[in-house]
Amino acid sequence: ALAGANVLVMHRDPGKERRSQAVFDAVQTCDVASKFMVGDITIAEDRANTATTIEYSFGGNLDLLILNASGPTRETNVIGNNELVTTMLPFMKPGAKIILMQSTPGHFSRVTKHTGIMPEAYANVADAKYEGEQSLLARREELETRGISLVIVAPPLVPQTLNAAMLTRIDKTF
C-alpha cells in the first residue's frame, strides 16, 4: 500500500479477525483502493467472490498474490492455494508475482523427517506445507510462460540454535 498498490485483505479464521482488521486499518491510511473480506480459499464460492472483488474493485488487475493461508492438511496448503492461483491467473499480467509464505519446518520437512529436529506433533503440518510448496514449484514453468514469478519466503532461522545449525548444513540453498 505504501508503494501505491491496491490491497485486498482476506481472512478465514474468526480468531484472527483483530489482526486482519489491524492490517486493513493500516492499509486504509494509504492513498490506495482497499477492501476487506472474510473468505476461505478451500471454498470455491469464496474464491469466486475474491475474483469478483478484484474484478470490480480493482479493475481486474492483480499484481501480487500473497499466499499466507496454511493449515494442518493438504486441503489448504495444496488444493486451496493451487485453486486460488488458478482462479487469480486471469487477473495477473506479465510482471505479477505470487509469494508463498512458507514455514521453516515446512520448507525443510523432507530433510528433517525422523531426525528429531522437528516435534512429531508438527510433522503432519510441515509435510502438508512442504507438499503445497512443491505443488506450486511444479507450476513454475506455467507461471513463467505467463511472465509471472513465484517466490517462496520462509522466516529466517534464529541464529546460534541447534535447529539453525542442522538445517543450514542440510540445505545449502537456504
Side-chain angles (χ1 to χ4, degrees):
L2 288 172
N6 299 326
V7 178
L8 169 63
V9 175
M10 184 170 96
H11 79 91
R12 68 175 174 163
D13 184 347
K16 295 180 181 175
E17 185 171 355
R18 274 191 23 225
R19 185 168 42 171
S20 299
Q21 186 64 52
V23 169
F24 184 66
D25 291 346
V27 167
Q28 286 191 299
T29 66
C30 301
D31 189 26
V32 298
S34 59
K35 291 288 181 183
F36 183 84
M37 63 187 290
V38 176
D40 186 332
I41 66 170
T42 66
I43 299 172
E45 183 179 355
D46 288 359
R47 290 189 305 269
N49 289 339
T50 304
T52 300
T53 299
I54 289 169
E55 186 172 355
Y56 292 106
S57 297
F58 306 124
N61 188 31
L62 180 63
D63 295 318
L64 179 64
L65 174 61
I66 300 175
L67 302 172
N68 195 40
S70 68
T73 66
R74 26 184 352 268
E75 182 181 23
T76 300
N77 297 297
V78 180
I79 299 166
N81 279 335
N82 277 286
E83 290 294 327
L84 183 63
V85 167
T86 298
T87 302
M88 296 299 115
L89 281 177
F91 304 111
M92 301 181 86
K93 310 288 185 262
K97 291 184 182 356
I98 297 172
I99 299 176
L100 172 65
M101 301 303 293
Q102 177 60 294
S103 68
T104 300
H107 179 74
F108 287 108
S109 174
R110 290 298 186 255
V111 294
T112 60
K113 202 165 192 75
H114 309 298
T115 62
I117 292 173
M118 187 181 342
E120 198 60 38
Y122 191 74
N124 289 341
V125 176
D127 285 348
K129 290 175 75 67
Y130 177 84
E131 185 181 355
E133 177 181 327
Q134 295 305 304
S135 69
L136 289 168
L137 287 170
R139 297 183 74 172
R140 188 170 260 162
E141 185 177 337
E142 167 197 6
L143 298 172
E144 288 174 354
T145 299
R146 293 172 170 261
I148 299 168
S149 59
L150 172 65
V151 179
I152 310 294
V153 177
L157 295 171
V158 178
Q160 311 302 319
T161 65
L162 179 60
N163 288 359
M166 296 300 294
L167 293 174
T168 54
R169 287 183 186 138
I170 291 169
D171 184 346
K172 298 294 185 194
T173 65
F174 194 62

